[in-house]
Amino acid sequence: MATGIFGIGITGLQAAQAGLVTAGHNIANANTPGFSRQQVVQANAQPQSSGLGFIGTGTQVVTVRRMFSEFLNLEMLNAGTQSAELDTYYAQMRQIDNLLADPTAGLSPALQDFFSAVQDVAAFPNVSSSRQALIAAATALQSRLRTLDGRLTELRDGVNQDLATTSEAVTTYARQIADLNQRIIVARNAAGGQPPNDLMDQRDQMVAELNQLVRVSVIVQDDGAYNVFIGSGQPLVAGTLAFGVEAMRDPLNPTAMTLGYRSPAGLTALPEASISGGRLGGLLAFRSQSLDPAQNALGRVAIALAQTFNAQHALGQDLHGNLGTDFFAVGDPQVTHPTSNGGTAQISASFAADAASALTTSNYRLTYDGVNYTLLRLSDHTQQTFATLPQTVDGFTLTLDSGTPAIGDSFLIRPTAAGASTLDVLVTDPARIAAAAPIRTGQGAGNIGTGVVSAGTVDSLDPNLQQPVTITFTGPNTFNVTGAGTGNPTGLTYVPGQDISFNGWTLQITGSPVAGDTFSVGPNTGGTGDSRNALRLAGLQTEKLMMGGTASYQTAYASLVSEVASKTRELEVTSAAQATIHQQARTARESFSGVNLDEEAANLIRYQQAYQAAGKVLAIASTLFDTLLEIGR
Amino acid sequence: MRISTGTIFDLGVQSMGRQTQTLLEIQQQISANRRILVPSDDPIASARVLELTQADNLNAQYGTNAKNAGNRLGLTESVLGQAVGLLQNARELAVQAGNGSLAPDDRRSIAGSIRALREELLSLANSSDGEGNYLFSGYQTSVRPFTATPAGIQYNGDDGERLLQISSQRSIGVSASGADAFMRVRQGNGYFVVAADPDNAGSVTYTPGSVVDAIALTGNDYRIEFTVTPSPTGDIVTYDVINTTTSATVLAGQAYEPGQAIVFDGMQVVLEGTPANTDAITVTPSGRQDLFATLDRLAVALETASEGEAGRAALTNFLTDALVNLDQGIDSVTALQAVFGSRMRESENAVDGSEVAGIQYRAHISELQDLDYAKAYSDLIRAQTNLQAAQQTFVQTSRLSIFDYI
C-alpha cells in the first residue's frame, strides 16, 4: 500500500517535471523559426486490480507531441512560395519600371531631341551647324538605346547570376533535408517509434525555406522520410538521397541560362514552364514574361526607326547632289542553332519590307518535322506551317542558307532582341544628310496658260528618277510627255489636280494650260536650300508606322512603358495581397503551432503546482511509513 | 483563437512597417512635387504623359518654325514692297516720257533714270538673308539668281518653294521663285496684247484694250488690217479683223472711226490716228514678260525714238505697252507681296496658337503627374496619426505578460 502511494507520488513528480521541462523548452524556443510548441501527453497508468476493484497506480507520460498541422503547414508553404515568386518578380520589375520612363534618361527625350534636330535641318537645310546637330542627336539616340538595352542586359545577367546562386542553395537544402531524413529515421528507431519532434521541426523549416526558393512538393514515406519533388516531378530528395539543380546553358538557346536537373544520369534542362514559385519561379517569369518582351519592344522601336528613316532618307538628295544613303544600320534578326540539332541546316533571317509595321515583340521557334516547318510564336503560341523556305512572317523572312534540317530540329528566332544594341549611325558627314528632294519641277518661261505645277514628290527609287522630263501641252486638255524612262506617251488627257506619275515621281498640274505650255521635271542640281525630304523625315515622328500602322515610334515606346508599368503595378498589388495571404497562413499555423508565453507561464504554474502536490503525496507517504515504524518500536 | 506571442510581434512590426512605407511615399511625393514617382504609380497616366510631352515638344518646335517663317516671310515681303515702289517710279517716269513736249535729251535723261531703276531692281532680286541665302533662287539658295548676260538678265534659280512646317498639318512656303516674281509676269492687259505691225506707215495708236466677254475669248491670234481707198471726199478707211490662227475673217469691211471701239470675240480695242493702207494691228493672247527686259526696252525706246508722225505714234504705242506691262508687273509683285503678307499673319497666328497649345499641353501634363499639395498634406497627417497609433498600441499590447505577476 505504501509502495503504491510512493509510486503514485513519483509518477506525478515525473510527469510534472516533464511538463515543466517541456514548458521551459517551449519558452526557450518561442522565437525559433519553424518551432512547433510541444505538449506532454499524459495518461493515467494501468490500474491494479484488487478485491476492492481497480486502484489507480498514478500517471504516465505517453509521449511528447509537437503541435503541428499538416494542412496548415501546407497552406503556409503554398502561400509562401507564391509570395516569394511575386516578391522576386516585383523587385526585378521595379528596376525596369523607372528606367524606361525617366524624364531625362528614358528613350522619349532622346527620340524627341532627334526629331527636333530633323526639324531644325528642315528649317535650315544648308546651315552646317544644324546638320551637325542632327548627327549628334542621332548618335545620342543610338547611345541612349544602347544604354537602356545595356541596363536590360545587366538585369538579364543578374537573373543568370541569381539562377546560379539560387540553384546552389536549392541543392544545399536538398542535401540537408536528405540528411535530416536519415537522422529522423535513426532517432525514431532508437526511441522506439517516438517522434523526434525537434528534428522534424528543423526539416519542416528546411522545406519551408526551400519553398521560398522554388515550389517543391513533398510526399511523406512510411518511415517518416520526406520525398521532395521539383519541376514536373523530378525527385530532389528521395529518402536519404539528394539530387541537385544547377544553372546551365539553355540547349535550345545557348545565349541564355536555364535550370538543369543533376541526377546520376547527368545534367538535363528542366522545362522553364515546369518551374514555378519561389525565387526561381519569379526570376524565370520575369525573364520570359517581362524582360524579353521589354528588350524586344525597345529593339522593335530601333528597327522600325532605322527602317523607315532609311527608306525616306534614300528618297532624298544630300548636299553633294547624291541620293541619300542608309542613315542607320541595324542588326538582322538573330537565329540560334541549338547544338542538339541533328541536321546541317543553317537558317538565317532578315527584315522584310514591312518590318516596321509587322514586327511583334515575340520570339519564335521554328521546328522541322521531316516534311514541314512549323513556326511557333512564343508569346501567344500561334503557329504557322509551311513546306519550304524562304517564308515571310510577321515582318521577317526566314531563309535556308545551306544544309538540310533533320527531323525534330529546332531553331530559335529572336527578330528584335538585338535591335536596340545594334543600332548604328552610318551618316557621319553632315553634307550627306539627304534633306533635299532629288527632283524639282518647273514651268516654261513662255507659258501662256495659267497652269501651275506642284513641287512633286518622290515615291520610289527609279533608275530614271532624275532624268529630265518635259510635259508639253498640245491643247487645253491633252499633253505629251517626253524624257528617258517615260516611254514618251502622247495625247494624255489633262485633268486638273490629277496625279501625273513617271520615273518614281508624282506631280500635279492645276489651272488652265494652253497648247505649247511646258512643264519640266529634272534633277535638283544645286538645291541646297530645299528641305522637302527633311520635312518628310520629320513627319515620320508622328506617322503611325508601327504595330500594323496604329502607332508612332513614341506611341510604341509609350505602350512599352505602360505595359511595364501596368505589370509592375499589378505585381505590386498581387505581391502585397499574396504577402497578406502568406501572413494569414502563417498566423493560422502559428496559432496552432506557435508558442504563447502567457500560456506557457500558466503551464509552468500548473506543473509547478502538480509537482508540489506530488511532493506532498510523497511527504504523506513518508509520514505513513513513519507511523508504521513507530508502531514497530 | 489562440494567438502565439510571435504573431503579436510579427503583426505589430508589419503594420508599423506598412505605415512607415506610406509615410515615406507621401514624403517623396511632396519633395518631388509629383504624384507619379514611378510609372507603375499610374501606368496609363505615365504613358499619356510621354505622348503629351512629345506633342508639347513638337508644338514648341512648330512655334519656333513659325517664328522663323515669320522672319523669312517678312524679309521677302519687304523686298517685294521695295520692288513695287521701284516699279511705280518707273511707271511715273514712263508717263512723264509720254509728254509730247519733251526734247530727245529729256527722254534720254529719263531713260538713264530707268536704267538706274533696273539696276536697283536687279540688286533687290538678288537679295539674300542674314545667312547669305538668296531669297529668290528657289531651292538653289547659294546660286545667285539673276545675272546679266548679253541677251539680258538670266534667271539661274528654279521654281522650288522652300517650306517650313508651322503646324502638324501645315507647311508654309517661305520663298518665292524669282521667275514668278520678276521673269514670268503677264503681258498686256493680262488677256491679250495689242501691237502695231512694225511695218506700219500710218499713225495708228492703240490702247491696251479690254475684255468685254470673257466666255467669248478664243485664245487665238488676230490681225486688224486697214484698207485705205482714196476718194474725192477724202480717204475711205475700212478694216477687216482676221483670226490668223484659223484664217477666218471675223469682221470684214468695217468703216474705221478713230476712237471708236472695235469689238470682236469678247475683246474690245480702241484705235486712234490715221492708218496708211495695209497698216495692221495685231491682237495676240497675253504672254509673259521679263520685268528687266521691259525696263530695258523702255529705256532703249526712249533713247532711240525718232521724230515725225510715224515715229511719235510708235513711241506712243511703245509707252502704252510699257505702261500696261509695268502695271502688270506692279499688280503681280503686289499680289505676291500680299501672299507673303497673309502668310506672315498665318505664321504669327501659328506662333500664338503654339503658345496657347503649349500652355494646354503643360496644364494637361501637370494635371496628370503633379501633386495636389492639399491632399498630400492631409494624407501625410493621416499617415503620421496612423503610425503613431500603431506604435502606441503595439507598445501597450506587447507589454502585457503574465510573467510580470509571477
Side-chain angles (χ1 to χ4, degrees), chain A residues 326-627:
Chain A
D326 276 355
F327 194 89
F328 291 112
V330 72
D332 275 335
Q334 296 192 311
V335 181
T336 317
H337 298 73
T339 47
S340 53
N341 276 1
T344 54
Q346 286 294 315
I347 304 242
S348 72
S350 56
F351 293 116
D354 64 343
S357 119
L359 280 176
T360 70
T361 58
S362 179
N363 292 339
Y364 298 78
R365 171 154 291 134
L366 181 74
T367 48
Y368 184 67
D369 65 2
V371 182
N372 288 320
Y373 292 96
T374 303
L375 185 69
L376 177 72
R377 184 158 67 202
L378 297 176
S379 62
D380 57 4
H381 292 94
T382 55
Q383 57 182 44
Q384 293 194 31
T385 305
F386 31 80
T388 55
L389 291 177
Q391 289 289 336
T392 298
V393 177
D394 287 354
F396 62 93
T397 304
L398 289 168
T399 313
L400 178 63
D401 284 347
S402 65
T404 44
I407 295 174
D409 279 4
S410 79
F411 308 87
L412 179 75
I413 298 124
R414 292 177 301 155
T416 57
S421 62
T422 56
L423 187 84
D424 230 326
V425 180
L426 293 181
V427 170
T428 48
D429 175 4
R432 287 183 54 214
I433 295 169
I439 57 138
R440 64 173 175 244
T441 59
Q443 56 196 79
N447 280 6
I448 306 286
T450 58
V452 175
V453 64
S454 71
T457 53
V458 178
D459 320 307
S460 64
L461 280 180
D462 189 284
N464 292 317
L465 179 66
Q466 292 177 297
Q467 289 293 337
V469 171
T470 307
I471 297 170
T472 310
F473 276 79
T474 52
N477 297 314
T478 52
F479 62 90
N480 297 342
V481 178
T482 48
T486 60
N488 301 335
T490 55
L492 300 175
T493 308
Y494 167 66
V495 178
Q498 200 176 57
D499 285 354
I500 299 172
S501 302
F502 289 98
N503 293 352
W505 46 253
T506 299
L507 57 80
Q508 298 87 30
I509 296 174
T510 50
S512 312
V514 301
D517 284 2
T518 60
F519 299 93
S520 62
V521 180
N524 192 5
T525 315
T528 53
D530 179 19
S531 60
R532 280 175 292 164
N533 203 51
L535 281 171
R536 292 185 70 173
L537 286 169
L540 295 176
Q541 185 183 10
T542 48
E543 224 173 293
K544 295 193 189 313
L545 297 164
M546 296 183 64
M547 293 157 76
T550 61
S552 64
Y553 312 124
Q554 176 70 51
T555 319
Y557 182 71
S559 77
L560 162 64
V561 169
S562 139
E563 263 169 45
V564 166
S566 303
K567 186 72 193 172
T568 313
R569 177 89 187 141
E570 177 199 319
L571 285 168
E572 187 185 353
V573 172
T574 49
S575 71
Q578 191 60 40
T580 309
I581 292 171
H582 184 209
Q583 176 60 42
Q584 283 167 354
R586 210 164 50 214
T587 305
R589 180 196 179 274
E590 283 293 292
S591 78
F592 187 73
S593 303
V595 177
N596 182 314
L597 289 176
D598 286 347
E599 185 183 324
E600 299 307 329
N603 281 344
L604 279 181
I605 295 168
R606 175 196 304 179
Y607 289 117
Q608 188 189 13
Q609 287 178 354
Y611 191 88
Q612 284 166 345
K616 261 290 184 264
V617 172
L618 277 184
I620 286 173
S622 174
T623 0
L624 289 178
F625 197 60
D626 285 349
T627 312

